[in-house]
Amino acid sequence: MLNIKRFVCNMFQENCYVASDDTKECIIVDCGALYDEEKKAITDYIKGNGLMPKHLLCTHGHVDHNFGNKFVYEEFGLRPEVSRADEQLMGNLAGQAKAFTGMECKDDFPQPGCFLTKESVVKFGNHTISVIPTPGHTPGSVFLYCKEEAMAFSGDTLFLMSVGRTDLGMGDFDALMKSLGDIACVLPPDTMILPGHGPKTDISHEVSYNPYLKTI
């Protein structure tokens, strides 16, 4: 069974997740930790529970989901793992921070350690994560799906009763709609969705009530 801890980070109220099992191995998903108290909360949780981080997984390349990449690299020695289709975004995180927030960030975010593909299988503890490409919000947006637990990290592709924006540059609304249609067909209705912002939901609820999925 997975233990999943959510940390709400930065001015965008982004969801960072730490998922672990009884082996104490864990993954960090979308580390948006920007402020010292956010970094401390994540560090205290991981070290306080004796967890061993094995992967830093990124659902996409927007800076609000990656503010904490340097912190994770320095604290736990992990580089981000992300779709190559978002390599350009990952290479301009400091520029994104300036454009979106006016903040001046050092351009010293760690480079990706590897690129995720639809063939990728991410292993930690007794669990595996498969990668489902869901382009639209960004070209390299992905779902990170754990079949054993019937759950997926959706990033900014799918939210409770909403979907991700496509007007931030490199977005594609038609591609997003196709991705949502594919997800609705591929994932079982009881799949729990842990999004990049806001509360959790599930596929069944979104197919029934999300106005975007109801049009597909």
Side-chain angles (χ1 to χ4, degrees):
M1 178 178 178
L2 277 182
N3 298 306
I4 301 173
K5 177 70 172 177
R6 179 178 70 145
F7 299 88
V8 180
C9 297
N10 65 60
M11 68 285 288
F12 296 102
Q13 298 291 284
E14 180 268 345
N15 292 333
C16 168
Y17 299 96
V18 177
S20 61
D21 65 17
D22 57 6
T23 70
K24 297 295 186 177
E25 292 189 353
C26 71
I27 56 172
I28 303 170
V29 178
D30 284 356
C31 189
L34 173 62
Y35 305 115
D36 289 343
E37 58 267 29
E38 297 164 355
K39 298 173 185 178
K40 183 178 186 301
I42 294 170
T43 301
D44 287 351
Y45 175 79
I46 290 173
K47 293 186 175 181
N49 287 281
L51 303 182
M52 299 172 285
K54 294 299 180 180
H55 300 274
L56 170 58
L57 303 177
C58 306
T59 60
H60 65 291
H62 281 154
V63 70
D64 56 323
H65 292 251
N66 292 278
F67 273 125
N69 290 358
K70 181 181 178 183
F71 144 68
V72 172
Y73 178 66
E74 292 179 343
E75 191 69 42
F76 302 109
L78 300 177
R79 291 183 179 272
E81 301 173 36
V82 66
S83 169
R84 187 181 291 277
D86 273 8
E87 186 175 12
Q88 180 178 340
L89 288 169
M90 294 294 285
N92 189 38
L93 292 173
Q96 289 186 53
K98 176 68 173 177
F100 294 154
T101 71
M103 293 177 54
E104 295 286 353
C105 291
K106 291 183 179 180
D107 192 12
D108 57 356
F109 291 91
Q111 294 298 307
C114 69
F115 291 105
L116 302 173
T117 72
K118 63 182 179 181
E119 287 81 27
S120 296
V121 177
V122 179
K123 296 183 179 181
F124 70 103
N126 297 317
H127 288 80
T128 58
I129 299 288
S130 58
V131 177
I132 305 174
T134 56
H137 179 65
T138 66
S141 290
V142 298
F143 264 50
L144 301 169
Y145 175 51
C146 182
K147 183 177 181 180
E148 302 102 312
E149 301 288 340
M151 56 78 58
F153 302 99
S154 65
D156 287 2
T157 295
L158 178 62
F159 304 127
L160 173 65
M161 298 294 288
S162 189
V163 299
R165 295 172 59 174
T166 56
D167 62 342
L168 298 175
M170 301 184 74
D172 185 324
F173 183 78
D174 291 338
L176 177 63
M177 291 299 101
K178 182 180 185 306
S179 292
L180 291 170
D182 293 344
I183 284 294
C185 292
V186 169
L187 296 186
D190 64 346
T191 304
M192 180 172 64
I193 299 300
L194 298 175
H197 303 269
K200 66 184 179 182
T201 183
D202 60 61
I203 290 293
S204 177
H205 180 88
E206 297 310 308
V207 168
S208 297
Y209 300 109
N210 188 314
Y212 293 93
L213 271 71
K214 289 181 73 173
T215 64
I216 296 173

